Amino acid sequence: QLCSILMADDAFWKEAREMNLLEEESAESNSRLPRLWDADGMVETVLLPLLQKEMDSSDGMRLQVYDMASGAGRDAAFLAEELLLLSATKKEAQFHVIAIDHRYNAKQSNIVQDFFQRRGVHDVTSVVKANLSKWETMREILLSARMSDANGADGNGGDDASSHAHDIKTTEVLYCVRFLVRHAIRALASCSSLREGTIFAISHFCIAEVGDAWPFDHPSPKTVLERNEMKDLFAANGWDVILDKIATDSDHGRTLLHFIAKKR
């Protein structure tokens, strides 16, 4: 029985502060804000440590992270917060997290941007409205971002700033949580426009063992991954498989694939 609904809007947070239930933190603080949600397990326990390792690997490292079908933006906010804490300890570390979803009309975009603002990551996040049912749309977003970076490096700021921008190595990271468009992912895996070192990650419903049937009513079996589907696809297209692991969700014990690959 549903007894009440709690809306985490501005009035909610104002009342919480007035009751001293929250410790105020500035956006520049090195402390974490309290969270009312959990990030996806793959994002929290595998992708984040991998990105932290990438940032630690070079003083001139920049991460361009794309959350494909980001919904409310919670996983994007989580990564941005954690990477922001890390980047505060590294003079040269840079990153940007882009939340992409076809539902981001003006109203929904404002909701997600306000959420990022409250989490203190507004300056290191962006919101993009796009339908990712076709890989070409995502490819165009990637190429547009690269062009903007190049124009920024060649623009104002003097020769020193331009030279320094060209020295920064950008690693592109694409991930999706419970979002599957098979033909788009097949096109992603074989795309020649993706750079060496590109990281792809997915957390999605998956059959636990080869030959097993999907034992749950939801989602439909046709939207569930076969056990070796991602591993075989990406290995065949020149990617190193970093993670290919079965996990379970916290709701109904449904099996999930946690998969990460890096382009050679």
Side-chain angles (χ1 to χ4, degrees), residues 10-21:
D10 290 339
F12 169 84
W13 293 111
K14 181 175 182 292
E15 184 176 356
R17 292 188 181 95
E18 290 173 350
M19 296 173 65
N20 294 319
L21 296 177

Side-chain angles (χ1 to χ4, degrees), residues 59-60 92 94 153 158-169:
D59 287 337
E92 301 296 336
Q94 300 183 49
D159 293 338
D160 290 342
S162 176
S163 176
H164 178 67
H166 280 301
D167 290 339
I168 295 175
K169 177 185 176 183

Side-chain angles (χ1 to χ4, degrees), residues 130-151:
N131 187 335
L132 299 180
S133 61
K134 294 182 179 179
W135 164 245
E136 187 61 27
T137 302
M138 187 67 230
R139 179 177 174 275
E140 290 174 359
I141 292 172
L142 287 168
L143 296 179
S144 177
R146 292 178 192 174
M147 185 174 296
S148 295
D149 287 346
N151 290 338

Side-chain angles (χ1 to χ4, degrees), residues 41-57:
M42 181 274 293
V43 172
E44 180 175 9
T45 64
V46 187
L47 183 59
L48 174 61
L50 178 62
L51 299 187
Q52 290 173 330
K53 184 178 180 181
E54 288 283 324
M55 290 179 69
D56 284 338
S57 67

